[in-house]
Amino acid sequence: MTSSTTQTRVRFAPSPTGKLHVGNVRTALMNVLHARKSGGTFILRIDDTDTTRGSAELEQGLKDDLSWLGLHWQETFNQSDRFKLYDEAAEKLKDMGLLYPAYDTSEELDRQRKLQAVKGKPPIYDRRALELTDAQKAAYEAEGRQPHWRFKLSGQSVSWTDMVRGEQSIETSSISDPVLIRGDGTYLYTLPSVFDDIESGITHVIRGEDHVTNSGAQIEIFRALQGDMGGGTEPRFAHTPLLVDKDGGKLSKRLDSLSMRQLREDGYEPMAILSLLAKIGTSDPVEERFTLKQLVEEFSFDKIGRAPARFDDDELRGLNAKILHETPYAQVKDRLDALGVAGGEAFWLAIRDNIDVVDDAAGWNTILFAPMAGLIDADDKTFCDTAAELLSDETDWSGLIKTLKAHTDRKGKGLFMPLRKALTGRNHGPEMGPLLSLMGPERARARLRGETA
Ligand code: GLU
């Protein structure tokens, strides 16, 4: 799979431990936008080295959600199918003297850290395991201790030019040698991720800024393995700022309500979600876009700022409404049918400017096609009766208004508002012309007379 070309290859690497939410969708989207902008390949990698029960369903859920959003991948694979390869990579690191066994229990590590704190030292693993003799190791193992394996950092500074954050450098002397393999032999995410990035020929690692510190160790593992595996070059990194809510608070508590499942159930359109996620935290205005292609054309890492991106539900609702205002009937027909909405295309065109989500159409359906009494103020009673008499069978709204103007002394709001209220029970809503013809003359007359119809 190693790629020797410079064709862009990116990956979105979710762990199937929960539902896909706005935070990880933003990462997926950035990867897709960059891949499409550069004519590259988007890979969906399932980081399931910690396979737990239910992860197959969660994985399917992630895939369904990405597909629903239109974020299609060209290749996909699961890390859980590749343990043999990770074992080989681990062996290579061991042979290089870069992966060493450590026998410290978590209590011992805790004690070390407390001691360091007392001495005013940073809580960095002191590498005592490197001092162990073979006999000491054997004694630990005889005791039943299984080693975990740590990667030996260089102690040098690791630098890279981040496509979002600019020049970055991590002093590896300021971090603990990371554990790559746990005592029970399972892998933490670090080694499989780096190995797969190399093997998949990943050219750009695009992910949230919570991974910046990991990058120091990961780059050293890249360099170690690449010296061994040959061919590839280190990928470029882009760490995007995290999402916060509109007041700057953490989103983590709301991730369930901000899952794709929930947003889909709440009636949001994929392009509303994608438009918002593509634009917040960038120098572009937050505006609705109707196709992924438009977002691709406008995408650039240079536009992404360093400040957290604010996710505002109201803004999402606003974008959704704007998208629906332009959505043709064919695109929503099935959903309207499922809502049991009557009136076909004419109905959709009449009401689409007045809804935030497609489900709101049901409300207008009830207003137009189910028996209801409108609102008629005492002062307007005679006027509405006159309107009922004058209403032609063609239900021509502007004709009715013209005739009423001639027959009464009313004009402007005093003329049409009583009619709107009598006919729809509301004082705002879609244009009356189409509503009136959808409602039909009989129902309209009855409502104007104050009847339930
Ligand atoms: N599975 C990791 C995560 O979900 C992937 C991080 C990365 O993109 O390297 O955080």
Side-chain angles (χ1 to χ4, degrees):
M1 230 198 290
T2 306
S3 164
S4 55
T5 67
T6 51
Q7 238 232 341
T8 297
R9 290 173 65 81
V10 297
R11 85 314 191 261
F12 171 54
S15 303
T17 50
K19 293 182 205 147
L20 199 67
H21 55 73
V22 289
N24 39 36
V25 167
R26 185 160 186 261
T27 301
L29 175 62
M30 296 293 161
N31 275 283
V32 168
L33 294 179
H34 181 61
R36 294 217 2 200
K37 183 115 193 181
S38 37
T41 302
F42 172 57
I43 299 167
L44 172 63
R45 187 181 83 201
I46 305 295
D47 281 7
D48 56 355
T49 53
D50 285 305
T51 28
T52 47
R53 267 190 306 140
S55 66
E57 277 135 71
L58 288 169
E59 176 184 335
Q60 194 52 50
L62 297 175
K63 289 180 173 169
D64 291 346
D65 289 344
L66 287 174
S67 302
W68 173 70
L69 287 164
L71 301 179
H72 303 293
W73 56 94
Q74 288 78 53
E75 295 173 21
T76 184
F77 64 91
N78 288 57
Q79 290 195 321
S80 57
D81 290 332
R82 296 162 61 84
F83 288 120
K84 213 171 142 292
L85 297 168
Y86 308 143
D87 290 346
E88 285 166 19
E91 282 312 311
K92 282 176 190 163
L93 292 179
K94 286 178 193 170
D95 290 348
M96 284 184 247
L98 291 175
L99 191 60
Y100 63 91
Y103 294 83
D104 317 84
T105 63
S106 43
E107 294 78 38
E108 286 167 352
L109 291 172
D110 246 12
R111 218 172 310 132
Q112 281 172 45
R113 278 191 289 266
K114 280 187 190 133
L115 222 62
Q116 284 167 322
V118 171
K119 291 184 191 157
K121 284 188 175 167
I124 300 166
Y125 180 61
D126 64 5
R127 290 183 164 172
R128 60 183 56 190
L130 282 175
E131 313 296 320
L132 294 175
T133 62
D134 286 347
Q136 284 169 314
K137 289 181 198 169
Y140 275 137
E141 296 200 12
E143 246 177 57
R145 287 200 199 189
Q146 291 300 315
H148 50 273
W149 294 80
R150 287 186 185 264
F151 180 76
K152 193 172 163 206
L153 294 166
S154 69
Q156 311 285 307
S157 123
V158 174
S159 308
W160 74 96
T161 307
D162 197 281
M163 290 189 293
V164 174
R165 300 167 63 86
E167 291 309 311
Q168 298 290 296
S169 113
I170 303 273
E171 294 301 326
T172 63
S173 58
S174 70
I175 46 180
S176 297
D177 288 343
V179 176
L180 301 190
I181 307 173
R182 299 187 185 90
D184 64 2
T186 57
Y187 284 93
L188 280 105
Y189 129 89
T190 317
L191 177 62
S193 178
V194 171
F195 177 85
D196 286 335
D197 284 344
I198 295 171
E199 246 244 332
S200 309
I202 296 302
T203 53
H204 302 78
V205 170
I206 304 162
R207 58 188 178 187
E209 69 180 10
D210 47 332
H211 286 288
V212 169
T213 320
N214 293 341
S215 297
Q218 285 186 357
I219 288 173
E220 291 213 329
I221 300 172
F222 266 112
R223 290 177 183 165
L225 288 178
Q226 274 172 318
D228 210 27
M229 296 168 78
T233 50
E234 217 162 276
R236 295 207 59 193
F237 289 86
H239 289 98
T240 57
L242 299 183
L243 292 189
V244 293
D245 68 20
K246 68 168 185 288
D247 308 314
K250 282 192 176 169
L251 274 190
S252 47
K253 285 188 217 88
R254 295 184 47 217
L255 287 184
D256 244 4
S257 64
L258 295 174
S259 67
M260 288 311 110
R261 275 307 137 89
Q262 191 58 48
L263 294 181
R264 186 175 180 174
E265 215 174 293
D266 293 344
Y268 289 107
E269 305 298 310
M271 279 313 300
I273 298 170
L274 296 180
S275 298
L276 186 65
L277 292 176
K279 298 301 180 190
I280 49 176
T282 76
S283 52
D284 280 345
V286 176
E287 286 169 353
E288 70 282 10
R289 294 288 177 263
F290 296 89
T291 62
L292 197 56
K293 192 163 169 272
Q294 283 175 288
L295 293 178
V296 170
E297 279 157 14
E298 293 163 359
F299 176 75
S300 162
F301 283 112
D302 297 340
K303 294 182 179 174
I304 303 176
R306 290 286 301 270
R310 285 172 193 263
F311 183 93
D312 179 348
D313 307 54
D314 294 337
E315 216 164 20
L316 178 61
R317 212 166 170 83
L319 290 176
N320 206 71
K322 285 186 180 154
I323 285 174
L324 290 181
H325 300 172
E326 310 277 329
T327 300
Y329 176 61
Q331 242 177 59
V332 287
K333 180 182 182 310
D334 291 348
R335 283 189 284 163
L336 293 176
D337 289 349
L339 284 175
V341 158
E345 181 161 17
F347 169 79
W348 174 248
L349 296 179
I351 60 107
R352 67 177 180 180
D353 281 355
N354 285 268
I355 56 175
D356 289 344
V357 291
V358 169
D359 279 11
D360 292 348
W364 287 107
N365 181 65
T366 307
I367 290 171
L368 291 181
F369 305 123
M372 179 194 87
L375 292 173
I376 303 180
D377 296 340
D379 288 357
D380 296 326
K381 178 115 195 40
T382 321
F383 172 69
C384 286
D385 280 339
T386 312
E389 264 160 50
L390 294 173
L391 179 67
S392 71
D393 276 348
E394 285 78 49
T395 57
D396 166 17
W397 174 255
S398 51
L400 176 66
I401 294 292
K402 224 182 269 164
T403 321
L404 281 170
K405 240 186 215 163
H407 280 74
T408 68
D409 54 359
R410 296 200 179 211
K411 52 182 188 318
K413 210 173 164 185
L415 180 76
F416 62 78
M417 189 54 88
L419 302 176
R420 177 181 282 284
K421 279 163 64 178
L423 290 168
T424 69
R426 300 182 174 208
N427 54 15
H428 58 87
E431 264 181 60
M432 282 308 298
L435 289 192
L436 185 59
S437 44
L438 282 162
M439 187 180 295
E442 266 172 52
R443 169 160 283 148
R445 268 191 213 108
R447 285 192 188 171
L448 287 168
R449 284 193 213 106
E451 293 160 17
T452 298

